[in-house]
Amino acid sequence: MNTTPGNPRAFDELMAIRGGSALAADEVTISGSDPLFASPFRIGATLADALAARAVAANDLWELRTGRRQRIAVDVRAAAATALGGEDMTLVRDASGEYRPAPLSPDVEHMVSLTQPWRTADDRWFVPHFNLPHLERRVLDVLRCEATPASVEAAVRTWKAEDLEDAIAAADACGGIVRTAGEWLTHPHGAHLASRPVVEITRIGDSAPEPLPGGGEPLSGIRVLDLTRILAGPTAGLSMAEHGADVLMVTAPHLPQVPPFVRDTSHGKRSTYLDFTKPDEAARLRDLTRDADVFIEGYRPHRLEAHGFGAEELARLRPGLVYVSVNCFGSGGPFGARAGWDQVAQAVTGICDIQGTAMNAGRPRLTPIYLCDFLTGFLAGFGAMLALARRSREGGSYRVQVSLSQSAMLLQRQGLIRDFEGAPGRLRPDEFERYAVTDDNTVYGDLKSLGPVIRMSETPPRWARTTPRLGSYRPEWIQPGLERVPGAAQYPAT
C-alpha cells in the first residue's frame, strides 16, 4: 500500500503508539483492497488497519491472561462496509419472512439534505450541521432561515466564511469552513493536532497494578460505562463489547437519539437510564463508576466536568479508571472547546475539498459514508485496551483522547487511489452473508446485520447479548454467573 511520502501506513503508526514487543510476522493478515466506495481515499484499508490494531490490543490482553497470542485477519472490503452502520448493512425481516434493507430514517434524510457544503459571500464553502433538533435550531437562529436546502443555501451566501464559523461556534452550534489539507495544516488548530498522536494516552493518576478478571475473552469481566450517542462514541463501546466487556450504555429519556444509529451501535450492550443532572441519579452513576474499568464519554468538551464527571475527578473516585474522550477537535488547541460532527471534521481538514476535486464536481463533496465516526470509534477502543494493558502491568489511571479531526488527518496520510468511479458502495450478497449476524425479536424487529469483521483464531469478536431497547436494564453491574440474557445474536457457521 502506498501512503503519502514520508508517512507510515496507519497500522504502523498505531503500532508505534502501542510500543512494546514486535509482532510475529504471521500474527496479522490484512487482505483485499479498496475501493468499496466512490471516493479517492483508502477508506477500507485505513479502517482495516485500525481494526487490526484494535485486535492486536485485544491480543495483548489475551496474552496477559493466557500467555498465548492469536492470529488475526481482516478483509479490507468488509472493514469498509462497517462504515455503513445505520444504513443498508442492516436488514429487517418483513411479513413475508424476507430480509430487506431498513428504510433510511426521514430525520437522517432531512439532516443530510441540509448538512452540505454551501457557498459563502467571499466565495468559500461552509458546512453547517443540522443533526438533533436543538442543534439545528441554533444553526437556523444564526442563519435566520428556514430548514430547507434553498433557504440554507441563500442564508450561507450572505456570510463571509470566517465570520460564520465564529458565529456558529459562539452559538454552541456546529459547522466548519471547507479548507484544503494545506490550509488546515497551517491553521493553528490543524498544526496543533499534527503535533499530537492520533490516539493520546495520558497517565492521570497512580494506583496499584490490576490483574485482569477471569473469563474466556480478552475483555471478560471488564466493566464499561458508555455515555455516548451517535456513531463514534457508541462504536468505541461496541468495540469493547465485541471482545467480551460488559458495556452499559447510560443515557436519559429526554436526550434526542437517531434510532438507526442506536440500533447499529448497541449490539451486545446493555442500556440504562440515568440523568446525571439529577442528584440522586448522579449519585448512582458515581456508584457505578466506582466499580467500572472504563468510562467513555462523547459530550461537548468540558460538559461532564461541569457536572462532576471529568477525568481527574473520576480517577480520584476510582483509581485505575480508564477515561475515554471522543470529540471532534481533540485535546487543546484553539478549537479545543468546540463541538462537531463527522461532516465538520471532513470540511475543516481537507477531506471535503479532496473528495469534490477527485470527482470533478466543481464544488466540495462529503464522502459517501461517515468514515471519521467509525474510524474514531475503532481508535478509541484500541486506546482503551492499550490503557487497560498498561494498568495491568504498571497500575495507574489513564485518559484516552481521540477525535474526528485526527481520524480525518490519519486517513489523508494514507494517500489516494484512482479509478474509484465504479465502486459498488456495498458488499456483494455473498460477502455480506459471510459476516451476517441474525438477532430476532429486538425492539427494531428481526435483524440481520453486518457482524464483527475481525477474525481472531481463539476468541473471534461477537455480540453476546441481543440488541437492547434503550433503558431496558437496571443501573447495575452484572454479577458473574448470575446474568439472565434475554436473547443472543446468532452467527453464521464458519
Side-chain angles (χ1 to χ4, degrees):
M1 183 181 83
N2 295 320
T3 57
T4 300
N7 290 324
R9 62 176 283 187
F11 182 79
D12 295 330
E13 187 172 335
L14 296 174
M15 289 302 96
I17 293 170
R18 168 185 175 263
S21 58
L23 303 180
D26 63 349
E27 179 166 321
V28 177
T29 300
I30 300 176
S31 58
S33 61
D34 286 299
L36 187 65
F37 302 111
S39 176
F41 295 103
R42 299 180 187 274
I43 293 171
T46 310
L47 288 167
D49 277 7
L51 285 165
R54 192 191 95 188
V56 169
N59 222 3
D60 291 342
L61 295 170
W62 185 246
E63 185 177 27
L64 285 170
R65 289 179 182 275
T66 67
R68 304 189 303 273
R69 296 193 71 84
Q70 305 183 46
R71 294 185 306 281
I72 295 163
V74 183
D75 177 77
V76 167
R77 285 170 60 88
T82 61
L84 286 167
E87 298 188 12
D88 67 358
M89 284 298 95
T90 292
L91 310 180
V92 181
R93 185 152 48 190
D94 64 17
S96 69
E98 295 294 320
Y99 284 102
R100 303 189 186 280
L104 189 64
S105 163
D107 290 341
V108 173
E109 289 184 316
H110 171 74
M111 180 273 291
V112 169
S113 72
L114 302 181
T115 305
Q116 295 291 334
W118 305 108
R119 193 184 292 273
T120 61
D122 50 352
D123 284 326
R124 301 194 68 181
W125 296 86
F126 188 86
V127 175
H129 202 285
F130 291 89
N131 206 4
L132 302 184
H134 67 294
L135 296 178
E136 176 182 285
R137 184 72 261 161
R138 292 175 191 174
V139 175
L140 294 175
D141 287 347
V142 171
L143 293 175
R144 298 182 181 179
C145 71
E146 301 300 319
T148 67
S151 185
V152 171
E153 180 179 26
V156 172
R157 197 74 167 97
T158 68
W159 284 81
K160 291 184 177 179
E162 291 192 4
D163 291 343
L164 181 54
E165 188 171 60
D166 290 342
I168 289 285
D172 284 340
C174 301
I177 296 170
V178 175
R179 295 175 171 86
T180 67
E183 286 174 332
W184 179 244
L185 291 176
T186 59
H187 184 278
H189 196 80
H192 167 76
L193 291 183
S195 72
R196 310 295 302 168
V198 67
V199 179
E200 297 188 49
I201 305 174
T202 307
R203 183 165 174 151
I204 58 172
D206 294 328
S207 66
E210 293 188 35
L212 292 168
E217 296 180 77
L219 288 177
S220 291
I222 295 296
R223 293 170 167 176
V224 179
L225 287 169
D226 179 356
L227 275 74
T228 67
R229 289 177 289 153
I230 307 178
L231 294 183
T235 298
L238 179 63
S239 294
M240 305 198 77
E242 289 182 352
H243 292 288
D246 177 17
V247 180
L248 182 61
M249 298 188 295
V250 179
T251 187
H254 69 278
L255 293 177
Q257 303 277 0
V258 180
F261 296 165
V262 176
R263 177 196 68 209
D264 288 356
T265 58
S266 299
H267 305 301
K269 303 179 185 179
R270 299 183 299 125
S271 175
T272 195
Y273 283 147
L274 286 175
D275 183 350
F276 58 71
T277 66
K278 297 179 179 179
D280 58 333
E281 297 186 35
R284 183 63 192 133
L285 182 56
R286 288 189 178 88
D287 288 342
L288 288 170
T289 303
R290 288 187 179 93
D291 293 319
D293 300 285
V294 180
F295 186 102
I296 308 174
E297 62 90 12
Y299 281 83
R300 180 182 294 272
H302 310 302
R303 165 86 168 141
L304 286 188
E305 291 176 20
H307 291 274
F309 290 95
E312 285 75 15
E313 182 167 351
L314 292 191
R316 290 192 293 270
L317 178 70
R318 196 297 192 205
L321 186 68
V322 174
Y323 189 103
V324 182
S325 294
V326 180
N327 59 40
C328 184
F329 288 108
S331 63
F335 286 2
R338 296 186 180 187
W341 302 78
D342 180 290
Q343 298 93 329
V344 176
Q346 289 194 37
V348 301
T349 62
I351 284 181
C352 207
D353 174 70
I354 294 169
Q355 179 77 24
T357 300
M359 296 184 70
N360 297 312
R363 58 180 293 158
R365 294 285 190 194
L366 295 164
T367 61
I369 36 78
Y370 307 119
L371 64 98
C372 298
D373 276 319
F374 290 95
L375 179 56
T376 302
F378 298 152
L379 295 176
F382 165 73
M385 286 187 273
L386 292 185
L388 286 170
R390 293 184 190 180
R391 186 187 75 171
S392 180
R393 295 189 299 262
E394 309 163 13
S397 304
Y398 295 87
R399 184 167 193 183
V400 177
Q401 293 170 283
V402 294
S403 72
L404 302 173
S405 294
Q406 278 278 34
S407 294
M409 295 164 71
L410 176 67
L411 179 75
Q412 291 179 69
R413 289 196 288 273
Q414 308 315 301
L416 304 177
I417 59 175
R418 299 176 181 175
D419 302 323
F420 56 82
E421 291 83 359
R426 57 185 52 79
L427 297 177
R428 298 188 311 270
D430 64 298
E431 292 176 305
F432 173 75
E433 290 295 333
R434 198 175 303 151
Y435 297 94
V437 176
T438 58
D439 192 3
D440 293 342
N441 301 313
T442 79
V443 68
Y444 308 99
D446 294 347
L447 305 180
K448 179 183 281 190
S449 306
L450 181 73
V453 303
I454 295 170
R455 297 304 193 223
M456 297 181 72
S457 55
E458 290 190 59
T459 61
R462 64 190 185 95
W463 303 331
R465 301 181 181 91
T466 194
T467 305
R469 174 175 54 83
L470 287 177
S472 57
Y473 284 82
R474 294 174 57 84
E476 60 190 19
W477 293 116
I478 292 170
Q479 298 304 311
L482 298 181
E483 181 191 14
R484 292 186 64 189
V485 180
Q490 300 299 310
Y491 291 78
T494 57

